[in-house]
Amino acid sequence: MRHAPLPIGKLLAIVADLQAAGEYERGYRRSRDLLASMDGTPPDECTACRILIAAARSAYYVSRFDECAELLDRCGGLLARVSETERREVSIRAALIRADMLRRIGRYREALDLLEECSGDSIETETERLLIAGACHYYLKNLDEADGALETALGLATHLHDDRLRSRVLSMTGLAAQARGLLRSAEEYLSRAMELCHARSDAYGEASAGLNLGIALYKSGRFEEAAASIERARTIFKAIGWHIGECRALLARGNVEKYRRNVVEGKRHLEKALRIAETGGFVREQALAHEFLGEIETMRERFDAALARYRK
């Protein structure tokens, strides 16, 4: 017996709840139901924009970046037919998703340029904007700019009492502290982020913070603790279908084994990470996998193989 399709408003709420809980594969599948709802009686332009934004965010969360961009473009094509207030709100939300997508694929300068257009009227929008900007500056090694953006974002998230945003900022702040060699501070930030995510059953956030904590731990020489934290993160990422997270966890785990001189085990993890990166088109992760595999070949005194990896 077939059930009647859910109303669009109910589907939008379900997708939003799944995204907030880090259940990205389930959220993506539900977003496909949302898009299918547009094939019958077309909704008004405002509702169509809300559907396309929700679906684009879901596609982003499961690393379907081409699909995400296409949905955002479709939304942009409707903006001329919505009210000025709605147009501004949708434009900012779409720009934030696109900027985060550009960050994820390593186009940090483009993301920062786009974020200049995203100054919104809400504190939540500004917090998200500063979080993405802080992440871009971190990857560009602009650590002063990263610290400034993240410090302001943390204050805003705390003011909002938004534990989800706060945990994301704490996780990124931990990475920035780690880049400065402040490993104890990084551990504190990341542990706080994990606690917040665990308390609200935010699987993605907990795994992300746990992965970064594992990296801080192995840089402190605490390899057993690092391996355990990274492996927990990898298991969660795999369970929720966050492929780039699983890839990054395997890269980190390979590094742990490299530092422990377990070169065979390290190579196994890194080669698996490379396969996921190539399948998903994660260019930065492909480069890191080749770099780390090159280091392992150097340790084995296979210098020609190491050079081949470094060239890739």
Side-chain angles (χ1 to χ4, degrees):
M1 177 178 176
R2 293 191 58 146
H3 297 286
L6 290 172
I8 289 175
K10 179 69 172 175
L11 274 173
L12 281 166
I14 290 171
V15 170
D17 287 345
L18 290 170
Q19 290 173 352
E23 298 208 34
Y24 296 133
E25 283 292 346
R26 287 181 62 200
Y28 176 75
R29 290 195 295 271
R30 280 301 203 175
S31 76
R32 304 306 299 173
D33 295 338
L34 267 175
L35 291 171
S37 72
M38 297 174 67
D39 294 336
T41 303
D44 62 84
E45 284 81 2
C46 288
T47 302
C49 284
R50 291 173 63 203
I51 290 171
L52 291 167
I53 287 289
R57 191 177 290 279
S58 282
Y60 160 80
Y61 280 140
V62 295
S63 305
R64 297 174 183 265
F65 299 132
D66 288 344
E67 183 178 338
C68 176
E70 186 269 330
L71 291 165
L72 292 173
D73 289 342
R74 282 177 63 185
C75 182
L78 295 175
L79 287 180
R81 288 177 275 170
V82 302
S83 70
E84 185 175 345
T85 302
E86 183 81 13
R87 186 183 314 138
R88 175 170 172 74
E89 180 183 340
V90 171
S91 295
I92 290 173
R93 288 168 65 194
L96 284 172
I97 296 171
R98 195 182 295 274
D100 219 5
M101 181 182 69
L102 290 169
R103 174 191 64 84
R104 284 274 310 283
I105 60 179
R107 292 161 60 179
Y108 307 120
R109 296 287 183 192
E110 291 176 64
L112 286 169
D113 288 344
L114 187 56
L115 289 171
E116 291 296 320
E117 306 170 14
C118 293
S119 294
D121 300 323
S122 75
I123 298 176
E124 183 174 359
T125 295
E126 185 63 7
T127 308
E128 287 192 38
R129 188 185 76 82
L130 288 166
L131 172 57
I132 299 167
C136 289
H137 283 302
Y138 162 78
Y139 286 115
L140 289 167
K141 310 300 182 187
N142 301 331
L143 296 183
D144 288 342
E145 289 87 344
D147 285 347
L150 293 170
E151 182 180 346
T152 304
L154 183 57
L156 293 174
T158 302
H159 174 76
L160 285 168
H161 304 289
D162 187 327
D163 283 347
R164 179 185 177 279
L165 268 176
R166 189 167 164 236
S167 68
R168 298 302 189 271
V169 179
L170 283 168
S171 194
M172 198 67 235
T173 303
L175 277 182
Q178 178 184 289
R180 291 188 181 275
L182 304 172
L183 298 181
R184 183 59 62 86
S185 294
E187 185 178 341
E188 290 173 0
Y189 284 126
L190 293 164
S191 295
R192 285 166 61 197
M194 282 184 68
E195 290 166 7
L196 285 172
C197 292
H198 184 75
R200 62 187 305 278
S201 300
D202 180 353
Y204 164 81
E206 184 178 354
S208 181
L211 170 57
N212 293 332
L213 177 60
I215 294 170
L217 288 168
Y218 81 61
K219 290 190 174 182
S220 299
R222 294 156 63 185
F223 299 124
E224 290 291 341
E225 293 172 76
S229 187
I230 292 165
E231 190 58 29
R232 281 197 302 272
R234 187 196 67 79
T235 300
I236 295 172
F237 281 135
K238 187 173 183 178
I240 65 175
W242 186 245
H243 305 304
I244 196 168
E246 183 185 3
C247 178
R248 289 172 177 170
L250 286 163
L251 288 172
R253 185 66 194 279
N255 253 353
V256 169
E257 300 308 324
K258 178 190 72 179
Y259 288 126
R260 296 163 88 180
R261 314 295 293 184
N262 296 333
V263 293
V264 174
E265 189 72 1
K267 186 174 182 181
R268 182 176 71 83
H269 288 301
L270 293 171
E271 286 178 339
K272 187 172 182 180
L274 180 59
R275 289 195 295 273
I276 294 173
E278 289 174 338
T279 300
F282 310 138
V283 178
R284 179 175 180 271
E285 286 67 28
Q286 289 178 52
L288 288 172
H290 285 302
E291 179 185 352
F292 298 158
L293 284 164
E295 291 170 359
I296 283 183
E297 298 295 4
T298 300
M299 291 169 64
R300 301 168 74 186
E301 298 188 359
R302 298 180 55 184
F303 300 118
D304 288 342
L307 284 170
R309 289 290 184 186
Y310 292 140
R311 290 189 185 102
K312 287 184 181 180

